[in-house]
C-alpha cells in the first residue's frame, strides 16, 4: 500500500471509530490470517529486530539504514507518544516510516504501541495503516493493577477491553500481543493474561514474551512455567537482561547487556527453539551504555550466537 492509498483510506477512519465505540464486538468477516512481514518467505529461525526506542534520537527516515549497518534484519517500530511515530499524526508519518525502513532492505514485522482500548481515538488509524501495510503484529500497552481493588474484577474488565481490541485488530488484519511486564501490571505472571486470552482465537491475540521480566517475577522456576504457558500463543520475543541491586533499602531490577545478568539464556532459547518458534525478536536496551551503537552491536551478536546454537542457523 502506498502513501496515497493509505491517506485516502483515513477519510473513513472517524466514521469507523465512532462505529467501534457504539457497537459491541461482533463477528466480522475475517481477512486471511496475518502474514509475517511483507511477502516474507517461510522462516526457519527468528528474525532479529532493533527496538526503535533504542535509537530514539535518530529520525525514522534513517532508522532502517543505521539498523541495517549494525546488522539487524528488522525494526520493531515504536508508534506512541515519545516514540518514532506519534499516533496522533499517523496519516503523515506512519507509512513513510514503513517505506523508509523497507527501502533500506529491512522488515517491519511488528510495531509497539500504548493501545489498551479500542476506544482510544488513535487505535483505528494506527491498526488500519499497519495491518494494511502487511505488518502482522502489534505490541499493546500496559494495563495496571494498582488501586484496582478486586483482582478478578480487574481481569474481567481487561478481558472485555481485549475482546474489543482483538475485534478491531481482526478488521484491520493485525494480531495483538500482550507483554509480560514485571511489577503491578496485568500479564506480569502470564497466568493472569492467560485468563484474558483463553476464549479468543489465537490467530488474533497472543504474547510478546520477555524472559528478563519473567525471571524477575518468577525467580528460579517461575519464568519457565510462564514461558510454557505462553508458548501456544507466542508471537514475538523481547530480549533484555538484568540483575538485582539494592538502593535505599529497596531491591530493584537493574537492566544490563544481554548475558551479563540473571536470565538463563541457554535454557530459554532451547525451550523456544524446541517449540519451533520463528517469529520476530525485538532486542531492547533499557540500560544506559556510553557507546550506544557498540552496545546494540554487542547485544545483537549475543542473540545471534544463541540462535545459531539453538536453531543451528540464522534465517
Amino acid at each position: 500500500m502506498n502513501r496515497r492509498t493509505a491517506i485516502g483510506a483515513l477519510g473513513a477512519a472517524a466514521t469507523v471509530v465512532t462505529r467501534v465505540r457504539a457497537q459491541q464486538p461482533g463477528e466480522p468477516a475475517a481477512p486471511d490470517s496475518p502474514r509475517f512481514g511483507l511477502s516474507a518467505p517461510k522462516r526457519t529461525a527468528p528474525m532479529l529486530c532493533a527496538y526503535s526506542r533504542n535509537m530514539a534520537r535518530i529520525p525514522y527516515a534513517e532508522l532502517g539504514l543505521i539498523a541495517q549497518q549494525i546488522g539487524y534484519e528488522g525494526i520493531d517500530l515504536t508508534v506512541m507518544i515519545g516514540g518514532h511515530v506519534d499516533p496522533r499524526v499517523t496519516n503523515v508519518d506512519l507509512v513513510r516510516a514503513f517505506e523508509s525502513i523497507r527501502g533500506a532492505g529491512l522488515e517491519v514485522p511488528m510495531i509497539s504501541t500504548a493501545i489498551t482500548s479500542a476506544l482510544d481515538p488513535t487505535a483505528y488509524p494506527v491498526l488500519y495503516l499497519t495491518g494494511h501495510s502487511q505488518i502482522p503484529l502489534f505490541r499493546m500497552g500496559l494495563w495496571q493493577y494498582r488501586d484496582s481493588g478486586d483482582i478478578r474484577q480487574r481481569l474481567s474488565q481487561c478481558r472485555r477491553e481485549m475482546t474489543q481490541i482483538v475485534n478491531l485488530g481482526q478488521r484491520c488484519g493485525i494480531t495483538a500481543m500482550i507483554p509480560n511486564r514485571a511489577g503491578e501490571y496485568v500479564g506480569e505472571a502470564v497466568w493472569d493474561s492467560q485468563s484474558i486470552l483463553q476464549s479468543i482465537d489465537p490467530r488474533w491475540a497472543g504474547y510478546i514474551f520477555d524472559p528478563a521480566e519473567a525471571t524477575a517475577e518468577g525467580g528460579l522456576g517461575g519464568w519457565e512455567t510462564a514461558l510454557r504457558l505462553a508458548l501456544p500463543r507466542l508471537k514475538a520475543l523481547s530480549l533484555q537482561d538484568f540483575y538485582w541491586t539494592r538502593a535505599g533499602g529497596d531491591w530493584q531490577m537493574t537492566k544490563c547487556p544481554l548475558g551479563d545478568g540473571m536470565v538463563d539464556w541457554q535454557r530459554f532459547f532451547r525451550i523456544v527453539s524446541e517449540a519451533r518458534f520463528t517469529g520476530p525478536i525485538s532486542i531492547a536496551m533499557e540500560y544506559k551504555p556510553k557507546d550506544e551503537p557498540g552496545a546494540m552491536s554487542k547485544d545483537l551478536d549475543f542473540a545471534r550466537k544463541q540462535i545459531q546454537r539453538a536453531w543451528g542457523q540464522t534465517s
Side-chain angles (χ1 to χ4, degrees), residues 12 15 36 39 42 47 50 65 72 86 103 115 120 126 133 145 158-159 161 168 222 231 271 274 277 299 306:
T15 301
F36 170 54
S39 303
K42 182 175 176 61
M47 172 181 287
L65 180 60
Y72 289 94
D86 187 326
I115 295 170
D120 180 336
V126 168
S133 294
Y145 280 123
C158 292
R159 190 177 303 115
E161 291 179 346
L168 182 59
L231 278 178
I271 293 170
E274 287 175 353
F277 172 79
D299 281 348
Q306 295 294 321

Side-chain angles (χ1 to χ4, degrees), residues 1-83:
M1 182 180 65
N2 59 35
R3 277 199 298 274
R4 181 176 300 174
T5 303
I7 294 171
L10 282 174
T15 301
V16 177
V17 171
T18 301
R19 189 183 306 126
V20 170
R21 291 181 175 181
Q23 292 179 343
Q24 290 297 321
E27 293 294 335
D32 293 337
S33 297
R35 294 184 298 166
F36 170 54
L38 180 62
S39 303
K42 182 175 176 61
R43 298 184 61 87
T44 56
M47 172 181 287
L48 291 169
C49 302
Y51 182 43
S52 81
R53 183 172 283 181
N54 300 348
M55 301 181 283
R57 290 173 291 188
I58 298 171
Y60 68 71
E62 301 174 21
L63 272 177
L65 180 60
I66 293 175
Q68 189 270 342
Q69 290 174 342
I70 293 174
Y72 289 94
E73 300 172 84
I75 296 283
D76 169 10
L77 185 68
T78 50
V79 185
M80 59 183 72
I81 295 175

